[in-house]
Amino acid sequence: MTSQHCKRVLLIGNSRWHWGERDACGMHFHHGSPDLARLDGELGGWAAVGPVPAQLTSAALERRITLRNVPLAGCPPWLGVDRAIGAWAGWTRSLALSLDLSSGLLLVDAGTVLSITVLSPGGEFVGGQLIPGYRLQLLAMTKGTEALPEMVFAAPGQEPFPKDTVAAMRRGVLQAMVSVVRDAQKACGGMLWLCGGDAELLATELRSSSPQLQLDPELQLRGLFDLMDASG
């Protein structure tokens, strides 16, 4: 990897591309559909869990961050690099903030897949859980049934038992995700970090039961910058 003055990073996800850029004013983030035209600009470092375009497999290979570049102890070779980057970034930020890591760390990445990653009190990978994310669960219901409607993937309302079908679907999916996270936190007791596109949806529901919750939707992109900086 090369990292001198890294100004731009890319994480290729399962369904979207995630860009991070930094300048004198700070960091800026963009999430959207794959856009090959954006690859023409300078790219400091990148990682991928989704399909990699040919433009990156050739000239930019030396700037690719893989699992072996993430200093997270105990990682099995099958672990997604996005989970490793997020867990490592959460751990290093917890240390910098003097947060209580005596019970380890619980990273919840609310993306296409809701991934849960657990680290031990020593910062080693323990294991985790994977379930379909918010949009994927809603899509499964609309595609797998005759009666349930297509919908716009908006946040649910606060009513616990909506009468409207779409509202009931949204509330039910979010409540299921929240319950999974609460059960995981109860089982491991670690410091909870939320990241990913739907992290704020979960945070709204979890703050009352997790007052020390750490929310950073862009945690992996910040971690990419940190890794590139450290490699210099």
Side-chain angles (χ1 to χ4, degrees), residues 152-170:
V152 175
F153 296 114
Q158 293 301 311
E159 187 180 1
F161 303 107
K163 292 181 179 178
D164 175 75
T165 299
V166 170
M169 292 167 67
R170 291 172 178 160

Side-chain angles (χ1 to χ4, degrees), residues 2-224:
T2 58
S3 67
Q4 281 190 338
H5 308 297
C6 176
K7 296 180 181 179
R8 201 159 173 253
V9 296
L10 167 65
L11 175 59
I12 297 177
N14 291 299
S15 58
R16 296 193 298 168
W17 284 14
H18 310 278
W19 296 90
E21 298 184 5
R22 61 181 173 184
D23 54 28
C25 297
M27 292 186 181
H28 314 277
F29 305 99
H30 172 76
H31 311 277
S33 300
D35 184 357
L36 295 178
R38 296 196 68 174
L39 295 177
D40 293 337
E42 179 184 352
L43 184 59
W46 63 282
V49 293
V52 176
Q55 288 91 327
L56 284 177
T57 58
S58 53
L61 269 180
E62 66 178 24
R63 297 190 295 276
R64 182 172 186 174
I65 294 174
T66 62
L67 194 60
R68 71 174 183 272
N69 305 123
V70 185
L72 184 66
C75 286
W78 48 258
L79 187 67
V81 67
D82 56 338
R83 292 177 66 190
I85 292 171
W88 174 78
W91 185 264
T92 56
R93 277 160 174 71
S94 294
L95 292 175
L97 294 169
S98 299
L99 300 179
D100 181 9
L101 293 170
S102 60
S103 297
L105 182 141
L106 178 71
L107 173 72
V108 175
D109 180 5
T112 303
V113 170
L114 179 75
S115 69
I116 294 175
T117 304
V118 177
L119 302 186
S120 73
E124 294 188 14
F125 176 80
V126 172
Q129 298 176 6
L130 301 171
I131 68 168
Y134 184 68
R135 288 161 178 76
L136 204 54
Q137 289 194 50
L138 291 173
L139 185 62
M141 280 196 281
T142 61
K143 297 299 183 183
T145 63
E146 290 292 333
L148 296 179
E150 299 282 346
M151 68 179 68
V152 175
F153 296 114
Q158 293 301 311
E159 187 180 1
F161 303 107
K163 292 181 179 178
D164 175 75
T165 299
V166 170
M169 292 167 67
R170 291 172 178 160
R171 171 48 58 184
V173 167
L174 181 58
Q175 194 60 49
M177 293 167 62
V178 168
S179 297
V180 167
V181 174
R182 282 181 174 151
D183 284 349
Q185 190 178 26
K186 182 179 178 180
C188 79
M191 174 62 61
L192 176 60
W193 279 81
L194 295 181
C195 64
D198 291 322
E200 293 188 16
L201 276 181
L202 288 174
T204 300
E205 304 290 327
L206 289 165
R207 279 198 177 97
S208 60
S209 58
S210 305
Q212 295 188 34
L213 178 154
Q214 303 297 309
L215 171 65
D216 187 350
E218 315 296 350
L219 184 63
Q220 281 113 333
L221 289 173
R222 297 186 204 277
L224 272 174

